[in-house]
């Protein structure tokens, strides 16, 4: 057998059924796990810096997911990368190397040193060394030469809603003192996106990487007192999916990274139009083929090289020839053994015929020569040889061995006193006593077996009478007995699983018992009987034995008894209980085609445990709608907050005092942010909002032209307007009033 290791490199080949052959279901579509987001070679910095003037602003959308930067006259950002930095010491070059953005995913060494600028799960900058490296790379990528040690350009940067004063203060100091920005202004990304899409009055639903904000707008002004935040975004969705997958596949052999989890959320998840109804039938076999998405991770498959038909025929012929030779050798050995036994039998018969008429001394000499104690032993050997020879002859000719009737055994020496017997007679009497005990034991066993049959027959008769007289009561007893057996089987399976886990309570108790038994200084309970080891003398010791003895043959026999008992009860229920069908039996429930757990874990196809390809597959089904549903029902993920629909209804009904403001706001529900890109998000939000609003309310919902880039585009558009100069803080004002001035 030749085994080779292979790696998957190509998609699954199309399935072609063979005519006249019933084949398994064709493999479904497979999505492959994404590689780390390394972008490879990047072009050199642009020369746009030469086209700028001292009033051309640098626009930076400082997002927690991606940082986007460009000049104010650009239509789209020139730079876009995550705010991450990887630093490590290169021993060959004897220098510290820094990798920024996607370059940090270049290899395993850099990926292990990645540091993010933001606090995990929030948009608050927590690592200022990283943000400095990110800004260095940003300004170099924009083509700023920095000959005088600064950028000498205005900066417009987005920040999260209700940003911390310390974060804004530190960022202001960094831009003014480290990069020599001429002026600085901050803005909220979702408001820039709303302005870019020409919004005036409405409700902004901004669901981004780290949070979701609902901001009411009246005449291009945000009502900050009514702004509400939901602590859920794209980061939390990816983290929630990762937790669900690890719970679903606790022993998955592959490594699932955060980037892969984010990619699965973007590519495979969608918002259900009616979550409660869809989740109930999501694992139904009808349509599961399309709902179940398979994610394939790298694997190494063991491939057995198949032999040709000629090689298989030659191997089979060699096996048959070897079998014939072995049979001939065995027959020859049996014949030689039979001949030897016949010769011995003939010799012992001749010896037996010579003994009559001889003196006692001569008889003893003849028996001693052949190592016999007395004539009785000689008779016993002759009878055994005759039986063995007869059996061997019947086997060789293919006949059946004649069943001899048991002869009645007599024990004459048992009634003779010991004083009347010599030494040989006493030995024979002891032998007969043992033989009689054996015969009596067989007789008692036979009687007990007959009594057991009689008891079983009587119990069956009583059971039949009870069934005929009280069928409902009899069925209730059978149902209760079935549930009891099922519970015992579950308890046994749970105990086996716990004993396989060294951290479980059952495994720890077992090891504690073993350590106590093997200890040189046993516990007080064992010292009560003194220093003697009398383990087993007490019946309680057998409880200890059953505790530490796992996986024995007795457990297998007990499991077989449980299975046979369960099958017997189910057979009776199938015969007499009209409400119990084949689908209710344990065999039907263990069938993978009827198992809800199998559909959840492995989809609508059988699972081959030995297949490395199938072992390295993730099946996304209910997770596809469960993860995006959290923004509507935060309790699914354990979040103690109201959903986005309840928040929007509260803002409209309670946050806006005037009725006409409410109706004007409902005419423009604006969606922005990457977390609103789920399929069905807009339809679901519109449907549920209509259910909580007045019947005469006119609801209009729209999505940003580009929910990902409109925040930067809106900031760049605003930086080109004359009003931008009125909102800047110059470096002179910073030096005069300090960083706390920017609030």
């Amino acid at each position: 057998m030749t085994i080779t290791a292979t790696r998957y490199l190509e998609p699954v080949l199309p399935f072609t059924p063979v005519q006249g052959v019933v084949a398994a279901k064709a493999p479904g579509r497979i999505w492959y796990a994404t590689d780390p987001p390394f972008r490879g070679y990047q072009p050199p910095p642009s020369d746009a810096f030469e086209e700028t003037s001292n009033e051309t602003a640098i626009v930076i959308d400082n997002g927690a997911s991606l940082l986007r930067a460009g000049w104010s006259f650009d239509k789209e950002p020139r730079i876009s990368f995550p705010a991450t930095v990887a630093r490590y010491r290169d021993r060959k070059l004897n220098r510290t190397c820094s990798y920024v953005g996607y370059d940090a995913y270049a290899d395993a060494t850099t990926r292990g040193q990645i540091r993010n600028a933001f606090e995990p799960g929030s948009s608050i900058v927590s690592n200022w060394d990283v943000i400095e490296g990110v800004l260095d790379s940003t300004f170099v990528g924009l083509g700023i030469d920095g000959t005088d040690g600064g950028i000498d350009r205005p900066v417009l940067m987005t920040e999260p809603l209700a940003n911390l004063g310390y974060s804004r203060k530190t960022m202001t100091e960094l831009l003014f003192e480290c990069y020599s920005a001429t002026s600085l202004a901050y803005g909220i990304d979702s408001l820039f996106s709303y302005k870019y899409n020409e919004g005036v009055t409405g409700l902004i639903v901004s669901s981004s990487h780290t949070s979701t904000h609902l901001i009411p707008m009246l005449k291009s002004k945000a009502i900050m007192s009514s702004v509400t935040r939901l602590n859920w975004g794209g980061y939390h969705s990816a983290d929630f999916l990762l937790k669900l997958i690890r719970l679903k596949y606790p022993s998955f052999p592959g490594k699932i990274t955060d980037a892969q989890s984010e990619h699965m959320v973007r590519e495979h998840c969608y918002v259900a139009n009616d979550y409660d109804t869809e989740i109930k039938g999501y694992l139904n076999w009808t349509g599961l083929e399309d709902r179940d998405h398979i994610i394939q991770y790298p694997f190494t498959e063991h491939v057995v090289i198949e032999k040709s038909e000629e090689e298989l025929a030659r191997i089979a012929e060699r096996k048959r020839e070897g079998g014939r030779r072995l049979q001939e050798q065995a027959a020859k050995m049996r014949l030689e053994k039979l001949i030897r036994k016949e010769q011995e039998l003939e010799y012992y018969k001749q010896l037996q015929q010579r003994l009559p008429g001889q003196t006692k001394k001569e008889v003893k000499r003849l028996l001693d020569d052949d190592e016999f104690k007395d004539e009785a032993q000689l008779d016993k050997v002759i009878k055994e040889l005759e039986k063995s020879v007869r059996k061997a002859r019947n086997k060789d000719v293919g006949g059946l061995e004649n069943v001899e009737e048991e002869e009645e055994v007599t024990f004459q020496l048992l009634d003779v006193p010991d004083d009347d017997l010599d030494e040989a007679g006493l030995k024979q009497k002891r032998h007969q006593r043992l033989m009689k005990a054996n015969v009596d034991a067989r007789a008692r066993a036979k009687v007990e077996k007959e009594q057991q049959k009689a008891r079983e027959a009587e119990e069956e008769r009583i059971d039949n009478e009870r069934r005929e007289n009280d069928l409902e009561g009899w069925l209730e007893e059978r149902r209760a007995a079935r549930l009891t057996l099922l519970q015992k089987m579950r308890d046994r399976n749970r105990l086996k699983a716990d004993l396989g886990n060294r951290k479980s309570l059952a495994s720890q108790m077992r090891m504690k018992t073993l350590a106590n038994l093997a200890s040189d200084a046993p516990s007080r309970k064992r010292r009560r009987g003194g220093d003697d080891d009398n383990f087993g003398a007490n019946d309680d010791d057998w409880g200890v034995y059953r505790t530490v003895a796992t996986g024995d043959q007795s457990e297998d026999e007990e499991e077989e008894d449980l299975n046979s008992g369960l099958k017997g009860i189910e057979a009776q229920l199938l015969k007499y209980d009209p409400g119990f069908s084949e689908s209710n039996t344990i065999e039907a429930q263990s069938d993978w085609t009827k198992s809800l757990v199998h559909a959840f874990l492995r989809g609508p196809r059988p699972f081959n445990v030995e297949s490395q390809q199938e072992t390295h597959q993730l099946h996304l089904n209910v997770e596809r709608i469960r993860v995006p549903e959290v923004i509507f029902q935060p309790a699914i993920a354990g979040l103690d907050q109201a959903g986005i629909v309840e928040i929007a209804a509260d803002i409209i009904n309670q946050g806006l005092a005037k009725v006409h403001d409410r109706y004007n706001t409902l005419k423009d529900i604006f969606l922005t942010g990457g977390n609103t890109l789920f399929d069905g998000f807009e339809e679901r939000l519109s449907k549920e909002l209509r259910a909580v609003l007045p019947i005469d309310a006119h609801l209009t919902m729209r999505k940003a032209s580009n929910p990902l880039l409109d925040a930067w585009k809106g900031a760049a558009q605003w930086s080109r307007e004359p009003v931008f100069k009125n909102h800047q803080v110059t470096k002179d004002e910073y030096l005069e009033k300090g960083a706390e001035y920017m609030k």
Side-chain angles (χ1 to χ4, degrees):
M1 180 184 294
T2 304
I3 296 180
T4 59
T6 61
R7 300 278 288 185
Y8 80 88
L9 295 173
E10 55 200 27
V12 178
L13 297 177
F15 176 75
T16 304
V18 181
Q19 187 175 3
V21 178
V22 179
K25 184 178 289 187
R29 182 182 175 186
I30 294 179
W31 287 263
Y32 294 100
T34 56
D35 294 327
F38 176 60
R39 298 296 178 87
Y41 172 76
Q42 298 295 323
S46 63
D47 54 356
F49 179 70
E50 299 176 356
E51 304 174 7
T52 64
S53 63
N54 293 334
E55 297 182 354
T56 304
I58 301 174
V59 182
I60 301 175
D61 182 10
N62 191 23
S65 175
L66 293 175
L67 181 142
R68 300 177 177 90
W71 298 101
S72 59
F73 54 78
D74 290 330
K75 299 298 182 183
E76 291 188 354
R78 293 175 180 264
I79 297 172
S80 178
F81 58 83
T84 55
V85 173
R87 293 189 179 95
Y88 76 97
R89 186 74 178 176
D90 193 326
R91 297 182 179 179
K92 293 182 179 180
L93 300 177
N94 195 23
R95 59 185 297 183
T96 300
C97 301
S98 297
Y99 296 84
V100 182
Y102 293 112
D103 293 342
Y105 297 91
D107 54 28
T109 303
T110 57
R111 288 195 295 270
Q113 302 295 326
I114 289 180
R115 299 292 181 269
N116 199 300
F118 294 89
E119 187 75 21
S122 72
S123 54
I124 304 300
V125 178
S126 61
N127 195 325
W128 294 100
D129 291 336
V130 172
I131 202 67
E132 186 175 350
V134 169
L135 291 176
D136 287 344
S137 178
T138 300
F139 296 140
V140 171
L142 291 176
I144 300 175
D145 53 11
T147 53
D148 55 351
I151 57 177
D152 294 330
R153 294 293 184 274
V155 175
L156 173 58
M157 179 177 288
T158 64
E159 64 176 5
L161 197 64
N163 190 20
L164 297 179
Y166 172 77
S167 296
R168 176 182 288 186
K169 172 178 175 292
T170 308
M171 182 66 73
T172 302
E173 293 176 352
L174 185 65
L175 290 173
F176 276 128
E177 298 184 9
C178 181
Y179 295 102
S180 299
T182 57
S183 62
L184 177 62
Y186 294 105
I188 299 173
D189 50 2
S190 55
L191 299 183
F192 283 136
S193 177
Y194 190 62
K195 176 178 174 54
Y196 182 76
N197 287 271
E198 301 178 352
V200 178
T201 299
L203 178 65
I204 302 175
V205 180
S206 173
S207 187
S208 59
H209 186 66
T210 57
S211 61
T212 298
H213 288 93
L214 282 81
I215 309 172
M217 298 288 295
L218 291 177
K219 298 179 182 180
S220 300
K221 183 177 180 181
I223 311 301
M224 301 305 294
S225 59
S226 299
V227 174
T228 307
R229 179 177 65 192
L230 174 62
N231 294 324
W232 190 266
Y235 170 86
H236 306 90
S237 297
D239 185 64
F240 185 50
L241 177 62
L242 189 60
K243 291 178 180 178
L244 292 178
I245 292 176
R246 289 173 177 171
L247 182 64
K248 186 176 182 179
Y249 301 98
S251 57
F252 186 70
K255 182 181 180 181
I256 309 172
T257 63
D258 296 338
Q260 291 171 343
S261 179
E262 292 179 6
H263 181 266
M264 284 188 280
V265 170
R266 290 195 304 267
E267 297 297 325
H268 302 283
C269 293
Y270 67 95
V271 175
N273 190 32
D274 187 351
Y275 176 78
D276 294 335
T277 302
E278 189 166 346
I279 196 68
K280 290 179 181 178
Y282 208 89
L283 294 177
N284 292 344
W285 292 97
T286 304
L288 184 58
E289 184 82 19
D290 298 327
R291 294 191 297 269
D292 185 71
H293 285 197
I294 304 173
I295 312 299
Q296 181 68 66
Y297 273 73
F299 66 95
T300 301
E301 190 71 87
H302 297 289
V303 181
V304 179
I305 305 300
E306 297 184 358
K307 296 180 174 58
S308 62
E309 295 183 359
E310 294 79 5
E311 292 176 339
L312 293 175
R314 286 196 297 268
I315 293 173
E317 183 62 30
R318 285 198 298 268
K319 289 182 178 179
R320 286 193 293 269
E321 183 64 27
R324 284 194 295 268
R325 287 198 300 268
L326 290 175
Q327 290 177 357
E328 292 174 359
Q329 292 176 2
K332 183 178 179 181
M333 293 174 63
R334 286 198 304 270
L335 181 59
E336 293 176 353
K337 188 176 181 180
L338 176 60
I339 293 174
R340 288 197 302 270
K341 287 183 178 181
E342 289 178 344
Q343 291 175 353
E344 291 180 4
L345 179 60
E346 183 65 25
Y347 172 75
Y348 290 144
K349 284 184 177 181
Q350 291 178 2
L351 176 62
Q352 191 179 35
Q353 293 173 1
R354 291 167 54 191
L355 293 181
Q358 300 289 340
T359 62
K360 289 186 177 181
K361 185 176 181 180
E362 185 64 20
V363 170
K364 182 173 178 55
R365 186 187 66 79
L366 291 174
L367 293 175
D368 289 341
D369 290 343
D370 290 303
E371 299 180 351
F372 288 112
K373 296 181 180 180
D374 49 22
E375 294 184 32
Q377 187 177 6
L378 177 61
D379 293 339
K380 183 179 178 182
V381 171
I382 290 174
K383 288 180 180 180
E384 290 178 354
L385 283 174
E386 287 177 346
K387 184 178 179 180
S388 178
V389 168
R390 185 167 58 253
K391 182 177 179 180
R393 286 174 179 172
N394 291 334
K395 185 175 182 180
D396 288 337
V397 299
L400 297 175
E401 183 181 357
N402 296 328
V403 180
E404 299 180 356
E405 296 182 358
E406 268 191 43
E407 300 179 358
E408 186 177 354
V409 184
T410 60
F411 308 100
Q412 300 174 355
L413 294 179
L414 295 181
D415 299 331
V416 179
D418 294 347
D419 297 338
D420 297 342
L421 299 175
D422 56 4
E423 184 177 354
L426 291 173
K427 290 183 179 180
Q428 187 67 20
K429 183 178 180 180
R430 287 194 294 269
H431 178 68
Q432 289 185 4
R433 186 180 290 113
L434 292 175
M435 293 294 293
K436 185 177 185 304
N438 191 15
V439 171
D440 294 342
R442 287 202 301 270
R444 287 194 301 270
K446 186 175 182 181
V447 172
E448 291 177 358
K449 189 174 182 181
E450 293 176 354
Q451 292 176 352
Q452 179 68 20
K453 289 183 179 178
R455 284 195 300 269
E456 291 177 355
E458 181 65 18
E459 290 176 358
E460 185 177 358
R461 184 187 66 80
I462 296 174
D463 189 65
N464 292 335
E465 290 181 357
R466 174 166 173 73
R467 185 182 66 246
E468 294 173 358
N469 298 330
D470 185 12
L471 180 60
E472 288 299 326
W474 182 84
L475 289 176
E476 285 298 328
E477 291 180 359
R478 289 295 178 269
R479 296 188 191 107
R482 179 176 178 271
L483 294 177
T484 302
L485 289 177
L486 288 175
Q487 186 60 39
K488 287 183 179 180
M489 295 174 69
R490 294 191 195 100
D491 293 341
R492 286 178 56 80
N493 294 334
R494 189 182 300 109
L495 180 60
K496 286 184 179 180
D498 290 342
L499 290 175
N501 181 10
R502 63 183 182 87
K503 295 184 179 180
S504 65
L505 179 61
S507 182
Q508 291 177 2
M509 292 299 295
R510 179 172 178 265
M511 294 305 299
K512 183 178 180 180
T513 304
L514 288 173
N516 186 30
L517 293 174
S519 175
D520 293 334
S523 63
R524 295 181 179 178
K525 187 175 181 180
R526 291 195 61 207
R527 287 202 298 265
R528 288 177 183 174
D531 296 334
D532 296 335
D533 187 4
N534 56 356
F535 181 77
N538 190 352
D539 291 339
D540 295 337
D541 294 338
W542 292 104
V544 178
Y545 173 78
R546 286 191 294 270
T547 302
V548 301
T550 58
D552 293 339
Q553 184 178 0
S554 60
E555 288 194 352
D556 297 336
E557 294 175 355
E558 185 179 352
E559 188 171 357
E560 291 178 2
D561 294 341
L562 292 175
N563 290 331
S564 61
L566 182 62
K567 289 181 180 179
I569 293 176
E570 289 181 344
Q572 292 177 339
L573 291 174
L574 286 173
K575 187 176 181 180
Y576 298 104
D577 188 358
F580 191 85
S581 61
E582 289 286 348
S583 61
N584 300 120
T585 60
I586 189 67
E587 291 185 358
Q589 293 177 359
S590 60
D591 185 5
W592 71 269
T593 59
K594 301 176 183 178
S595 173
L596 187 66
V597 176
H598 181 92
F600 176 61
L601 294 175
R602 304 300 174 185
R605 299 175 187 81
F607 175 63
N608 183 9
V609 181
E610 298 181 357
S611 172
Q612 292 297 316
Q613 179 180 4
E614 296 184 17
T615 306
H616 287 74
Q617 287 178 354
L618 299 176
H619 290 257
L620 299 181
N621 34 63
V622 296
E623 296 85 5
R624 296 181 58 204
I625 61 174
R626 187 179 183 187
V627 171
E629 184 65 20
V630 176
I631 199 170
F632 296 92
Q633 302 183 52
I636 293 177
L639 199 62
D640 188 16
Q641 285 188 267
I644 189 174
V645 177
E646 290 82 356
I647 294 175
D650 182 72
I651 291 176
I652 294 172
N653 295 325
Q654 306 296 331
L656 301 176
K658 298 180 181 180
V659 178
H660 68 274
D661 289 340
R662 299 176 188 174
Y663 283 92
N664 291 335
T665 301
L666 291 175
K667 292 179 182 179
D668 187 16
I669 306 296
F670 179 73
L671 306 181
T672 185
N675 207 37
T676 63
L677 293 176
F678 290 116
D679 291 340
F681 185 92
E682 184 176 354
E683 293 79 3
R684 171 72 179 280
L685 182 59
S686 176
K687 171 188 172 183
E688 297 207 358
L689 274 178
R690 290 183 186 276
V692 298
L693 294 176
I695 192 171
D696 58 340
H698 178 69
L699 178 65
T700 302
M701 187 172 296
R702 64 189 178 112
K703 186 179 291 185
S705 57
N706 191 330
L708 298 177
L709 298 180
D710 280 2
W712 185 92
K713 292 180 180 179
Q717 181 187 39
W718 186 66
S719 67
R720 296 192 296 268
E721 297 178 1
V723 70
F724 172 63
K725 296 181 180 180
N726 300 330
H727 294 81
Q728 296 179 12
V729 174
T730 63
K731 189 174 182 180
D732 294 336
E733 291 176 329
Y734 163 77
L735 295 175
E736 178 184 355
K737 302 175 182 179
E740 292 82 358
Y741 176 70
M742 300 195 69
K743 296 182 180 179

